[in-house]
Amino acid sequence: MLTIYSDAHHLHHGCELKDGVLMPCFEQPGRADTILARVRATGLGPVAAPGEYDSARYARVHSPRYVRFLERAWDEWTASGRSHDALPLIWPVRDLRGDIEPEFIDGKLGFYAMDAGVAITAGTWKAVRASADVALTGMDALLAGERSAFALCRPPGHHAAAEYMGGYCYLNNAAIAAQSCLDGGAGKVALLDVDYHHGNGGQSIFYQRDDVMFLSLHGDPKYSYPYFSGHRDETGAGSGLGFNHNYPLPHGTGWPAYSEALNHACGRIAAYAPDALVVSLGVDTFKDDPISQFRLESEDFLRLGARIAELGLPTLFVMEGGYMVDDIGVNAVNVLTGFLAGG
Ligand SMILES: NCCCCCC(=O)NO
Ligand SMILES: [Zn+2]
């Protein structure tokens, strides 16, 4: 299996406000380095650098003004006299105005964010666009005939919606890849999110569309981040009604219950009969993940990949979350190894 990877991710490692404390972000460079080392150690396949894409490709799922914000945020922040990480700290919630883009960077940071888990640093934009280019390059490989590819994206993207960042995500790499697949001639694409956290960004971007079916297995938002999306009754709207499927699962979920939901989701994908499948691959479903509450074992990730392979679809795996760095390489590559063995 081809892996796409960019060293540019090292340019990004900010802080986050977690449990009321400012701390180095859990989403750290060692995650991608560990996965890459495992890809190489297992001989998964060739590793290629991404191509360089015009930012207009990101604007196929994000608004142009949001992409401009991401590109300019650090310069606007430093122009206002600050040199430390920028963080959103006020948001247009409830009856505050969300229809007028503030002119000052402190207002823009909250206008374009859902939480304080998204620091903007000097290297963030370069890392973020390289991550989206990794996903686009992986999708180009599928469009060129590859049966599968692994987009080793960092930072992740599945919490990013058309006009907001959050949960360590800035550009929605998987959504950008899914849209690129359609732009490349596909009629339908399925986006399956197996990260512990609900992929609110992918859901939001495709919610009113029937050409991308979005499915997510995740910690129940009643007591899991992102708390405000991912319920079972979110089934799409307009022409997208019936093309959005959420599988909220309780704390402590292990493989038996997880695989039951996965089988159901795969049944829906098979019935949808898409031209390709994009998988938002988070491995924070691991039993020892420091910020998540499922109980998957490393061997279960082999089974996860094998089950996805049974769909027999061209498949792009896009790296999302997973924070037990010691095990992230084994767990992420186990999905890919299981897929290749099962395919
Ligand atoms: N800072 C709050 C937790 C962010 C979760 C990020 C993640 O793994 N999403 O999939
Ligand atoms: Zn996650």
Side-chain angles (χ1 to χ4, degrees):
M1 185 184 296
L2 170 67
T3 293
I4 315 295
Y5 165 83
S6 169
D7 261 332
H9 77 87
H10 288 111
L11 296 170
H12 172 74
H13 186 215
C15 61
E16 71 170 295
L17 193 56
K18 182 171 177 357
D19 305 334
V21 177
L22 204 58
M23 61 177 72
C25 188
F26 265 78
E27 200 291 295
Q28 50 134 316
R31 301 178 57 248
D33 295 338
T34 303
I35 296 167
L36 180 65
R38 182 69 180 174
V39 164
R40 292 197 161 122
T42 58
L44 183 75
V47 179
E52 289 191 13
Y53 295 80
D54 190 290
S55 62
R57 299 295 294 275
Y58 319 146
R60 292 289 290 133
V61 300
H62 294 285
S63 72
R65 67 177 184 174
Y66 174 65
V67 175
R68 263 197 315 277
F69 157 74
L70 288 175
E71 187 170 12
R72 299 174 181 175
W74 177 251
D75 289 345
E76 291 187 26
W77 176 254
T78 51
S80 68
R82 287 157 293 181
S83 56
H84 51 275
D85 295 3
L87 272 185
L89 286 177
I90 180 167
W91 291 270
V93 294
R94 302 288 190 282
D95 57 359
L96 296 178
R97 297 289 297 270
D99 58 322
I100 301 175
E101 179 190 14
E103 291 180 14
F104 191 58
I105 184 62
D106 291 45
K108 283 183 184 177
L109 284 163
F111 185 78
Y112 289 116
M114 73 178 204
D115 71 4
V118 273
I120 299 278
T121 71
T124 297
W125 172 241
K126 280 203 175 95
V128 160
R129 74 170 304 172
S131 190
D133 291 349
V134 165
L136 283 166
T137 307
M139 181 47 72
D140 277 350
L142 255 62
L143 290 167
E146 290 286 343
R147 290 297 294 165
S148 62
F150 175 39
L152 210 183
C153 291
R154 186 187 167 265
H158 77 140
H159 293 304
E163 278 213 317
Y164 63 78
M165 57 187 182
Y168 313 150
C169 301
Y170 303 80
L171 289 175
N172 195 313
N173 308 311
I176 289 168
Q179 183 61 52
S180 181
C181 190
L182 295 165
D183 294 345
K188 291 185 289 184
V189 176
L191 174 49
L192 173 64
D193 191 320
V194 296
D195 186 284
Y196 174 79
H197 304 94
H198 180 240
N200 61 285
Q203 170 170 298
S204 172
I205 287 165
F206 298 119
Y207 203 66
Q208 305 194 40
R209 291 171 51 174
D210 59 3
D211 58 349
V212 177
M213 174 179 277
F214 177 80
L215 312 97
S216 179
L217 287 70
H218 50 268
D220 192 318
K222 290 202 295 289
Y223 35 73
S224 292
Y225 181 98
Y227 301 111
F228 307 115
S229 74
H231 293 283
R232 202 177 292 279
D233 66 352
E234 297 155 21
T235 56
S239 53
L241 186 63
F243 294 92
N244 192 90
H245 303 289
N246 286 324
Y247 296 86
L249 297 166
H251 282 183
T253 292
W255 182 249
Y258 191 88
S259 57
E260 191 179 332
L262 178 66
N263 281 329
H264 194 277
C266 288
R268 280 185 159 142
I269 294 171
Y272 180 59
D275 301 293
L277 172 65
V278 176
V279 178
S280 271
L281 178 56
V283 291
D284 37 9
T285 47
F286 182 51
K287 65 183 175 65
D288 296 330
D289 193 273
I291 67 167
S292 309
Q293 286 82 31
F294 281 173
R295 306 289 308 152
L296 296 198
E297 310 265 356
S298 293
E299 297 70 33
D300 294 328
F301 291 105
L302 290 164
R303 301 181 179 99
L304 172 57
R307 182 61 185 88
I308 292 169
E310 286 180 32
L311 290 164
L313 292 167
T315 304
L316 176 67
F317 292 90
V318 179
M319 197 66 213
E320 301 287 357
Y323 307 97
M324 177 45 83
V325 179
D326 292 350
D327 303 87
I328 193 172
V330 168
N331 292 339
V333 176
N334 271 3
V335 175
L336 310 173
T337 306
F339 176 87
L340 293 174

